[in-house]
Amino acid sequence: MLVTTPLEKSLTVKRLLNIWASRYVPDLSTLSLTSHKCTTTELMEAASRQGREKTASKLSQLIEIHCKCAGIRTSILFSYIPNVVNLTESQGIATSSAQVYQKVLSVYQKQSPNSGLITALSQVEAVDISTDLYKVSVMPKLELPEISSLVTILTPELMQFQTQHLSASNQKTLGFMSTQFHLSSKVLLNRLSLPEQLLLSPYFKFIEEQVCIPWQRVCAAAGQHTLNSPILALVEQLIPKSQEIAARVYRKALELYPNYRSRRGKLDAPEVKASSIRDVEMFQAYLWVCVLEQNMAAMEKELYPLCEMVYPSVNVSWELVEKMVGLLVEKIIIRLDTQQKSIVQPYTTAMQKLFACR
């Protein structure tokens, strides 16, 4: 759940902001690819101010109808959960999400791409996005520029969205909202050319994560630490690995429970895979909030009650939850030295006790 957390301008906060921004590069698994290639000229044209305005104009007329279509699909996916949202509420969420996307487009038009993008593109004539050259030279230059500005502009919009549609008594709606954004992003990106998808998809991923993963709070909590803090160094080391860790946890869980099925489908179903990996990333972010704040309040008062409400309603067993938490701890601990283990283990131990089978 998004909580207002002002971001200081301290060097420690800025360092984590830079790491946070590096998460938002094009995710090839979410793009609708008819080709893996685009020319340097095409990408540069799409990245220009005129190109961004053209992209925004193309989508602005489609956002409302596509968000409503995504809302219908989300309602179908969540139809097995009693009393999540009714038709009127679903339409309200779709309308509000369309307003968020319009705001994203207004920001997208005004922001300039990473200054190193042009330099990187000048070294290649055609960009094959599946090659190592793209992943090493071009992809990092496609990350979100000026993420602090994006946070400042979009957080009020998202807070209003959350206030309107998420009640403390029914936090199951959070899963509905995140799925609404995920499906809306997918269908909107499908209407764009490959260069446009590469440039805009990081903005859409940012919106999806802001709804449910507290990366902003992780960055804000860094303000409590000095530049030479070993706690800060540990978090800086692990955040860039969070997506890899989440994917490894999911793959191991799938290996251990190949026939597992919740009300949303089997564990290897695409939508279940996406939500499972997103959940593991959410657990990591809450863990780092706790480590940086040096207490378990965020996990005990926010994450655990949310899981306790949502997982049983979708028929996810607590055994699976406990196993995935254990796998997550394993994947984290193996990446730490002795000193770092002594820092993080009190929190991972508390997390495992909290999510132990009841």
Side-chain angles (χ1 to χ4, degrees), residues 111-244:
Q111 287 195 328
S112 301
N114 187 303
S115 59
L117 177 61
I118 306 303
T119 302
L121 291 175
S122 67
Q123 300 171 4
V124 291
E125 293 184 1
V127 182
D128 184 337
I129 65 175
S130 64
T131 64
D132 290 338
L133 177 62
Y134 166 79
K135 294 172 183 175
V136 173
S137 300
V138 180
M139 185 181 281
K141 307 303 187 296
L142 292 169
E143 72 181 31
L144 287 178
E146 305 170 41
I147 193 169
S148 58
S149 299
L150 199 61
V151 170
T152 301
I153 295 168
L154 292 179
T155 294
E157 200 83 24
L158 287 166
M159 288 298 296
Q160 181 181 357
F161 176 90
Q162 182 176 274
T163 301
Q164 287 177 330
H165 302 291
L166 183 62
S167 68
S169 62
N170 187 17
Q171 293 190 20
K172 298 174 191 175
T173 316
L174 185 62
F176 188 99
M177 289 161 57
S178 61
T179 302
Q180 163 80 39
F181 276 113
H182 177 72
L183 296 179
S184 297
S185 294
K186 193 171 182 178
V187 71
L188 288 168
L189 289 172
N190 192 38
R191 303 305 298 265
L192 300 176
S193 67
L194 175 56
E196 290 173 318
Q197 290 184 61
L198 293 175
L199 291 162
L200 188 56
S201 59
Y203 288 81
F204 285 1
K205 182 180 179 183
F206 171 82
I207 289 297
E208 288 181 47
E209 291 199 345
Q210 273 291 81
V211 174
C212 57
I213 305 181
W215 293 124
Q216 183 175 337
R217 291 167 65 186
V218 174
C219 295
Q224 302 177 25
H225 298 268
T226 61
L227 285 173
N228 61 354
S229 163
I231 296 175
L232 181 67
L234 183 155
V235 175
E236 284 183 301
Q237 176 185 324
L238 270 293
I239 288 179
K241 302 181 186 300
S242 64
Q243 296 176 83
E244 175 195 345

Side-chain angles (χ1 to χ4, degrees), residues 84-101:
V84 177
V85 296
N86 58 37
L87 180 60
T88 302
E89 291 168 334
S90 172
Q91 291 175 340
I93 290 173
T95 299
S96 296
S97 65
Q99 294 169 354
V100 173
Y101 279 105

Side-chain angles (χ1 to χ4, degrees), residues 67-84:
C67 284
K68 286 182 178 178
C69 290
I72 292 170
R73 188 177 171 199
T74 305
S75 294
I76 293 171
L77 286 173
F78 279 77
S79 61
Y80 52 80
I81 307 178
N83 305 318
V84 177

Side-chain angles (χ1 to χ4, degrees), residues 204-355:
F204 285 1
K205 182 180 179 183
F206 171 82
I207 289 297
E208 288 181 47
E209 291 199 345
Q210 273 291 81
V211 174
C212 57
I213 305 181
W215 293 124
Q216 183 175 337
R217 291 167 65 186
V218 174
C219 295
Q224 302 177 25
H225 298 268
T226 61
L227 285 173
N228 61 354
S229 163
I231 296 175
L232 181 67
L234 183 155
V235 175
E236 284 183 301
Q237 176 185 324
L238 270 293
I239 288 179
K241 302 181 186 300
S242 64
Q243 296 176 83
E244 175 195 345
I245 289 172
R248 287 178 179 271
V249 169
Y250 166 78
R251 287 196 296 270
K252 186 62 177 179
L254 183 59
E255 179 184 321
L256 294 172
Y257 299 91
N259 300 313
Y260 189 87
R261 177 183 289 274
S262 70
R263 288 180 180 172
R264 291 197 63 182
K266 292 189 67 175
L267 199 54
D268 61 354
E271 294 298 339
V272 177
K273 175 182 178 180
S275 63
S276 298
I277 291 175
R278 185 173 61 238
D279 283 357
V280 178
E281 292 221 68
M282 178 174 66
F283 272 69
Q284 289 180 77
Y286 270 102
L287 175 62
W288 302 136
V289 170
C290 292
V291 169
L292 288 167
E293 293 183 346
Q294 301 182 72
N295 65 70
M296 291 293 292
M299 196 170 292
E300 291 172 350
K301 296 178 181 179
E302 298 172 40
L303 180 61
Y304 180 79
L306 176 65
C307 294
E308 192 176 35
M309 180 180 291
V310 172
Y311 286 142
S313 69
V314 295
N315 201 29
V316 171
S317 74
W318 212 255
E319 177 190 343
L320 179 62
V321 176
E322 180 182 29
K323 176 58 70 174
M324 293 189 77
V325 169
L327 291 171
L328 172 59
V329 170
E330 288 177 17
K331 301 302 180 188
I332 288 173
I333 294 298
I334 200 172
R335 289 168 166 79
L336 304 178
D337 61 29
T338 302
Q339 181 190 17
Q340 291 173 324
K341 287 177 183 177
S342 68
I343 293 171
V344 78
Q345 278 183 326
Y347 303 96
T348 55
T349 299
M351 180 170 68
Q352 287 183 280
K353 287 181 179 178
L354 187 62
F355 287 93

